[in-house]
Amino acid sequence: MADQNGQIDLGPPREAVAGVGFPAPPPPIYACTLTPELVAKAREELQEKPEWRLRDVQALRDMILKDHPNLRTRLDDAFLLRFLRARKFDYDRALQLLLNYHASRKAWPEVFQDLKPSTVKHVLDLGFLTVLPRPDPHGRYILCLRQGKWKPNDYPFVDNIRAIYLTLEKLIQPEETQVNGIVILVDYTGVGLSQASNPGPLLAKKVVGILQDGFPIRIKAVNIINEPRIFKGIFAIIKPFLKEKMAERYVLHGSDLASLHRVIPQSVLPQEYGGVAGRLDMSAWSRTLLGAEEEFVVEFCQPDPLEGVVMPDSMLFEGEQAGAHGEDSFRHLRSQLYYCY
């Protein structure tokens, strides 16, 4: 929840090193910060066994050093645990996720080049996204996206993606989020045809690819509210790229707040969504993210982690190879959007 300085508390602070800034190097020996309840939850849902945890981390580390010795990646316990938890301690799948995580930076430089909070301050100031200060009863933080706040003339849509990615990077730091996952709440109030036709299918495919296969976070639900008639066209662009399990987690509520309250209690929702947690405060998360500037400079404003690494052709993005077909499909869908609108 928000602390006395108006920032969102995502867990205990990490000690900084003089002259280096945030984040500090990991401690020599990993220390679990999970409560006994979350340890039990991780065991049941993620196949995480506390007595084998460090052995599993070392096994993944050995695979990286053996198979990808030139990969510039963090190898500390806390970082590698994110990938093991996201893939239920399957070594091979965790390694593939780590490779995808780094491959996404190379495949999409317009998102990842010079990626730091100060470069998306205009997105935060506009109110396109925030994180609600209180997690839901399952301990999941709620990422709130307000699509109607952005207009194509404001700035490129890719800036929204940059802000979302930085937010996910910040959210995934606490071990609690790695176990509990997050919930996404998308508000389509004010969305018209100009917003609905952005992004196109190639951009949508890249976003979905990162969220599903290129980032170590568990997205437990995507709640859509106040969606207009044209949302069917929007979802038609996205759905072909969603895995069946993820597609099932999309819930459309329309303007029915009672339906939303059945999955997200009013105690954590702001007044704008029928909740009792006060007015929607966009500034708290902005301060939290902007306050982590040095952390992201250390993490992202560095040489290409894949330089000198040979990656398979089948890595995360087939990219532009499918571009022509995707654009043909998009032209057809765009005509449907005009009809719906």
Side-chain angles (χ1 to χ4, degrees):
M1 63 180 61
D3 64 16
Q4 61 183 355
N5 296 318
Q7 294 189 347
I8 294 177
D9 180 14
L10 293 176
R14 298 161 64 185
E15 295 180 0
V17 174
V20 176
F22 192 95
I29 300 176
Y30 165 77
C32 180
T33 60
L34 297 175
T35 64
E37 293 76 16
L38 285 178
V39 168
K41 182 176 182 178
R43 182 188 292 270
E44 179 181 353
E45 296 185 9
L46 307 181
Q47 286 74 60
E48 177 176 345
K49 298 177 175 61
E51 62 273 20
W52 292 354
R53 185 187 291 124
L54 295 183
R55 182 208 68 175
D56 293 334
V57 170
Q58 187 59 49
L60 178 58
R61 185 183 294 116
D62 290 342
M63 291 173 68
I64 297 168
L65 294 173
K66 177 184 177 182
D67 299 336
H68 304 278
N70 296 323
L71 181 65
R72 295 191 184 100
T73 185
R74 286 173 54 184
L75 293 172
D76 56 278
D77 297 346
F79 181 74
L80 295 182
L81 266 173
R82 301 178 188 180
F83 296 87
L84 286 166
R85 285 169 171 153
R87 290 299 179 262
K88 299 185 177 181
F89 282 76
D90 182 314
Y91 298 165
D92 291 329
R93 294 177 64 226
L95 176 60
Q96 186 64 59
L97 178 61
L98 177 67
L99 293 174
N100 288 349
Y101 173 82
H102 287 298
S104 62
R105 303 190 196 184
K106 194 176 188 72
W108 211 351
E110 59 267 41
V111 169
F112 294 97
Q113 186 174 4
D114 195 32
L115 185 60
K116 52 188 176 182
S118 61
T119 64
V120 298
K121 186 176 183 298
H122 58 289
V123 179
L124 301 172
D125 290 344
L126 188 67
F128 177 81
L129 67 76
T130 191
V131 174
L132 301 187
R134 299 179 184 177
D136 72 7
H138 302 287
R140 306 175 301 196
Y141 278 96
I142 301 168
L143 169 58
C144 181
L145 306 176
R146 301 198 294 171
Q147 301 286 93
K149 289 293 181 180
W150 172 80
K151 304 294 188 297
N153 292 333
D154 292 335
Y155 51 78
F157 188 84
V158 73
D159 288 2
N160 293 330
I161 300 171
R162 287 164 63 86
I164 292 171
Y165 195 92
L166 286 169
T167 292
L168 294 177
E169 282 284 354
K170 189 64 179 171
L171 284 174
I172 199 58
Q173 290 176 352
E175 292 193 280
E176 293 85 348
T177 301
Q178 297 168 28
V179 174
N180 292 326
I182 66 167
V183 170
I184 298 177
L185 174 61
V186 187
D187 182 1
Y188 274 91
T189 299
V191 171
L193 181 62
S194 60
Q195 296 107 315
S197 57
N198 281 278
L202 184 57
L203 193 58
K205 181 179 182 180
K206 285 186 174 183
V207 173
V208 171
I210 288 176
L211 293 179
Q212 291 187 141
D213 300 309
F215 196 86
I217 200 164
R218 306 175 72 203
I219 299 176
K220 303 301 292 181
V222 180
N223 293 283
I224 312 293
I225 62 172
N226 299 318
E227 68 275 12
R229 291 172 56 195
I230 54 176
F231 183 78
K232 290 183 178 180
I234 300 171
F235 196 64
I237 296 173
I238 301 172
K239 191 172 182 179
F241 310 128
L242 293 174
K243 295 178 179 178
E244 182 179 357
K245 189 174 183 179
M246 179 60 71
E248 291 174 350
R249 292 178 178 174
Y250 275 70
V251 182
L252 277 58
H253 300 281
S255 58
D256 185 359
L257 291 181
S259 172
L260 177 65
H261 298 159
R262 284 193 285 271
V263 293
I264 302 179
Q266 292 172 274
S267 59
V268 302
L269 286 171
Q271 295 175 11
E272 288 82 350
Y273 303 128
V276 295
R279 302 287 298 177
L280 183 61
D281 180 8
M282 309 299 295
S283 62
W285 182 250
S286 295
R287 287 191 294 270
T288 298
L289 203 55
L290 292 169
E293 178 82 1
E294 290 302 316
E295 165 192 343
F296 287 104
V297 169
V298 171
E299 188 74 21
F300 288 101
C301 302
Q302 303 295 331
D304 180 2
L306 295 178
E307 185 176 348
V309 179
V310 178
M311 305 297 286
D313 292 337
S314 60
M315 283 304 295
L316 183 58
F317 304 109
E318 291 89 0
E320 286 66 24
Q321 296 176 4
H325 175 72
E327 289 305 320
D328 287 343
S329 300
F330 181 53
R331 279 192 287 270
H332 174 66
L333 285 169
R334 190 180 180 90
S335 66
Q336 291 182 330
L337 292 178
Y338 275 108
Y339 175 77
C340 292
Y341 193 73

